[in-house]
């Protein structure tokens, strides 16, 4: 696909699409204003003009977010799969040439064709706007959905840093069954802010580690804070690597969110013959908070004020493809992996246990603080007073938990994570 700057929409659309886009005359008027925040492109497939797209850049200071204002494929080129293909390549072009970090768009309620196309390239629904004469669905590209709405950067980094601490390496070493001194090429798929890759770099000193994630905020954080790993923005369903490149591919709590054919197929494709695929999947664990860490009335008031539909991570496809303990290894085998084995790492995070240093115990408590604070800040509330009260309450209770710890007043609160580790070879 080729994208050429344009001052007007030259393609023809179907009559039923006319109320879903600006008219040709309106687009010309917009472009004639010379607003440098507005970018329009003719879309070519070879020498054929097949589509048109218009973006509006935001916010004013950084202009790294882009609202897809108008997008259409020429009437005579529709029903050829060009809409999805062109949009994916166009978004990649905007990232590479215009520094795009986020995309948003809308479609009219009931337009299932538009909905399916946007979802295929990574958009998810964020909310629905309903007025007297129309109903519109707002969408956001998934490359920032996770850090915006599911788990913030510090929440995910600190929680994984704890779970992949050196204290637990003996369990992972046995389950991974990798040669520590060998010069391995390792790829982590869905690396988040990079905590697992950071640990892999310590554990396997001679390995060359590459890590990818679709969320640009995670990648930016990892690049700024972690040395010795190559971090790239990339899609687990379309890995940007040639065939048979890596000795090991590894993922942690990624399989649950991705369609199985794409998840397993892409990892097998980039593995060398005889290469190892490691799939880590969180299982049901134990969580027993200290009394002082239970939900406060201020937090409850905040969460009760948010409509359930806007306060559900299910809106973002989280856990959509989660598989049971007996189905997961069978699924791995069905996608061509051999010698499949399973095992479990048990990660016990109990700050009062004397086997942990004061620094590690404090990190456990601070991770809980960060998780709650980022969750509050990502909540879709317009009531700043409720938000401020909830933040203050979280800080107060976490400060109290630290006071109890340092005073030797044991609470024996605990979080026990159970991580299923699947290992298969190509």
């Amino acid at each position: 696909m080729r994208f050429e700057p344009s001052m007007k929409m030259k393609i023809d659309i179907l009559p039923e699409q006319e109320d879903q886009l600006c008219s040709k005359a309106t687009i010309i008027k917009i472009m004639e204003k010379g607003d440098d925040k507005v970018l329009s492109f003719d879309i070519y497939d070879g020498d054929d003009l097949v589509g048109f797209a218009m973006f509006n850049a935001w916010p004013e200071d950084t202009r790294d977010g882009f609202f897809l204002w108008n997008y259409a494929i020429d009437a005579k080129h529709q029903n050829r799969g060009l809409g999805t293909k062109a949009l994916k390549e166009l978004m990649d072009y905007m990232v590479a040439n215009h520094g795009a970090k986020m995309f948003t768009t809308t479609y009219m309620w009931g337009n299932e064709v538009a909905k399916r196309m946007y979802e295929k390239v990574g958009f998810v629904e964020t909310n629905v706007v309903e007025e007297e004469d129309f109903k519109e669905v707002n969408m956001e590209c998934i490359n920032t959905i996770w850090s915006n709405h599911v788990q913030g950067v510090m929440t995910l980094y600190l929680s994984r840093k704890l779970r992949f601490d050196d204290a637990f390496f003996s369990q992972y070493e046995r389950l991974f069954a990798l040669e520590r001194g060998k010069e391995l090429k390792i790829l982590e798929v869905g690396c988040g802010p990079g905590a697992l890759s950071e640990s892999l770099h310590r554990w396997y000193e001679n390995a060359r580690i590459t890590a990818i994630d679709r969320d640009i905020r995670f990648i930016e954080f990892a690049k700024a804070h972690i040395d010795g790993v190559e971090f790239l923005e990339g899609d687990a369903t379309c890995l940007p690597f040639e065939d048979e490149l890596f000795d090991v591919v590894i993922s942690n709590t990624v399989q649950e969110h991705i369609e199985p054919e794409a998840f397993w197929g892409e990892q097998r494709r980039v593995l060398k013959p005889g290469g190892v695929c490691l799939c880590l999947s969180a299982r049901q664990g134990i969580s027993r908070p200290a009394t002082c860490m239970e939900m406060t009335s201020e937090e409850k008031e905040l969460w009760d004020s948010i409509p359930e539909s806007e306060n559900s991570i299910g809106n973002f496809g989280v856990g959509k493809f989660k598989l049971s303990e007996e189905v997961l290894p069978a699924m791995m085998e069905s996608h061509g992996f051999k010698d499949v084995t399973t095992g479990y790492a048990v990660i016990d995070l109990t700050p009062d246990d004397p086997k942990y240093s004061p620094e590690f115990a404090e990190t456990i408590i601070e991770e809980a603080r960060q998780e709650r604070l980022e969750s509050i800040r990502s909540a879709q509330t317009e009531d700043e007073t409720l938000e401020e009260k909830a933040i203050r309450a979280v800080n107060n209770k976490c400060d109290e938990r630290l006071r109890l710890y340092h005073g030797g007043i044991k609470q024996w609160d605990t979080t026990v994570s159970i991580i299923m580790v699947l290992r298969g070879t190509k």
Side-chain angles (χ1 to χ4, degrees):
M1 293 288 181
R2 190 173 83 255
F3 310 104
E4 299 288 346
S6 179
M7 291 295 293
K8 60 182 180 180
M9 185 168 71
K10 304 165 189 171
I11 64 169
D12 296 314
I13 58 175
L14 297 173
E16 58 265 29
Q17 295 176 298
E18 291 177 354
D19 64 345
Q20 299 167 18
L21 294 98
C22 295
S23 68
K24 291 184 177 182
T26 299
I27 290 172
I28 290 174
K29 288 181 181 178
I30 292 170
M31 296 307 297
E32 285 178 345
K33 290 180 180 179
D35 187 345
D36 62 357
K37 296 194 299 297
V38 179
L39 302 174
S40 294
F41 301 93
D42 291 326
I43 302 172
Y44 289 87
D45 183 18
D47 293 327
D48 295 330
L49 175 63
V50 298
F52 174 81
M54 174 184 281
F55 293 95
N56 189 41
W58 59 275
E60 185 63 40
D61 54 345
T62 61
R63 298 191 183 183
D64 54 6
F66 288 87
F67 172 68
L68 182 57
W69 195 350
N70 290 280
Y71 179 72
I73 297 297
D74 188 280
K76 63 179 176 291
H77 291 288
Q78 292 186 19
N79 300 313
R80 292 171 48 197
L82 289 177
T84 301
K85 182 176 186 293
L87 183 54
K88 178 67 174 71
E89 293 189 22
L90 178 58
M91 290 165 66
D92 291 342
Y93 173 88
M94 295 297 290
V95 170
N97 294 277
H98 295 279
K101 295 182 180 178
M102 179 186 294
F103 296 96
T104 58
T105 193
T106 63
Y107 70 90
M108 299 306 295
W109 177 268
N111 187 343
E112 292 300 312
V113 174
K115 178 175 185 271
R116 286 194 299 271
M117 179 187 68
Y118 288 134
E119 287 178 342
K120 284 181 180 178
V121 299
F123 283 87
V124 297
E125 177 182 327
T126 54
N127 65 304
V128 178
V129 178
E130 188 168 4
E131 301 289 348
E132 185 175 341
D133 56 347
F134 77 93
K135 191 174 183 181
E136 193 172 64
V137 181
N138 290 328
M139 304 189 85
E140 183 176 305
C141 184
I142 195 125
N143 70 343
T144 55
I145 281 290
W146 204 275
S147 58
N148 276 346
H149 301 288
V150 182
Q151 288 173 300
V153 173
M154 290 308 299
T155 295
L156 196 55
Y157 178 70
L158 291 176
S159 64
R160 290 188 174 183
K161 192 172 179 66
L162 287 168
R163 286 155 181 77
F164 297 111
D165 188 84
D166 292 347
F168 308 113
F169 173 54
S170 61
Q171 296 186 66
Y172 294 118
E173 183 179 25
R174 174 178 55 83
L175 295 166
F176 292 175
L178 303 175
E179 294 183 45
R180 291 193 68 183
K182 193 172 181 180
E183 294 183 357
L184 299 169
K185 293 182 72 174
I186 300 176
L187 170 66
E188 184 187 359
V189 177
C191 64
L196 173 54
S197 283
E198 184 178 26
S199 294
L200 291 172
H201 178 59
R202 290 195 312 272
W203 297 343
Y204 302 95
E205 294 180 353
N206 294 327
R208 178 182 171 186
I209 299 168
T210 303
I212 70 161
D213 200 283
R214 286 198 66 174
D215 195 305
I216 187 63
R217 290 192 176 95
F218 290 152
I219 295 300
E220 288 178 342
F221 175 90
K223 285 181 176 180
H225 294 87
I226 298 171
D227 296 324
V229 178
E230 182 183 17
F231 290 99
L232 302 170
E233 186 180 1
D235 187 345
T237 66
C238 186
L239 295 173
F241 305 107
E242 62 188 56
D243 296 355
E244 300 182 355
L245 183 62
F246 295 96
D247 300 293
V248 180
V249 291
I250 185 170
S251 62
N252 175 48
T253 60
V254 177
Q255 173 276 320
E256 296 90 326
H257 318 300
I258 298 177
E259 191 277 323
E261 192 71 32
F263 175 78
W264 298 111
E266 276 297 276
Q267 292 185 66
R268 191 173 188 280
R269 179 183 67 79
V270 301
L271 266 180
K272 296 176 182 179
V276 174
C277 177
L278 296 168
C279 175
L280 282 61
S281 179
R283 302 288 104 182
Q284 184 173 352
I286 299 169
S287 179
R288 296 290 183 268
T291 301
C292 67
M293 292 291 285
E294 292 177 352
M295 181 177 285
T296 64
S297 59
E298 292 87 351
E299 292 171 272
K300 187 176 187 304
E301 184 180 9
L302 170 69
W303 294 118
D304 286 349
S305 73
I306 299 172
E308 185 176 352
S309 62
E310 296 179 14
N311 187 28
S312 173
I313 59 175
N315 291 343
F316 308 113
V318 175
K320 184 176 181 180
F321 300 100
K322 188 175 180 66
L323 301 173
S324 64
E325 290 81 0
E326 74 276 12
V327 173
L328 193 47
M331 181 68 71
M332 192 178 196
E333 288 179 324
S334 72
H335 284 86
F337 290 97
K338 302 178 296 183
D339 306 317
V340 174
T341 61
T342 65
Y344 296 84
V346 179
I347 312 303
D348 159 27
L349 300 175
T350 307
D352 288 327
D353 194 315
K355 69 175 177 281
Y356 295 132
S357 68
E359 293 78 14
F360 193 80
E362 289 170 1
T363 302
I364 295 173
I365 297 168
E366 287 298 340
E367 186 273 329
R369 183 200 303 266
Q370 195 64 50
E371 186 274 329
R372 287 161 176 79
L373 290 177
E374 286 196 328
S375 181
I376 289 168
R377 289 171 180 141
S378 68
Q380 298 182 23
T381 179
E382 297 179 358
D383 193 326
E384 293 183 3
T385 301
L386 284 181
E387 181 177 318
E388 290 171 1
K389 287 167 60 179
I391 288 173
R392 188 161 52 247
V394 166
N395 281 323
N396 287 341
K397 72 181 184 182
C398 291
D399 289 345
E400 173 63 10
R401 181 65 188 93
L402 285 169
R403 186 191 69 79
L404 293 170
Y405 172 77
H406 289 300
I409 306 171
K410 295 190 175 184
Q411 304 298 295
W412 292 111
D413 46 323
T414 188
T415 299
V416 179
S417 299
I418 300 175
I419 300 175
M420 183 179 186
V421 179
L422 291 93
R423 186 186 192 277
T425 58
K426 178 177 175 179

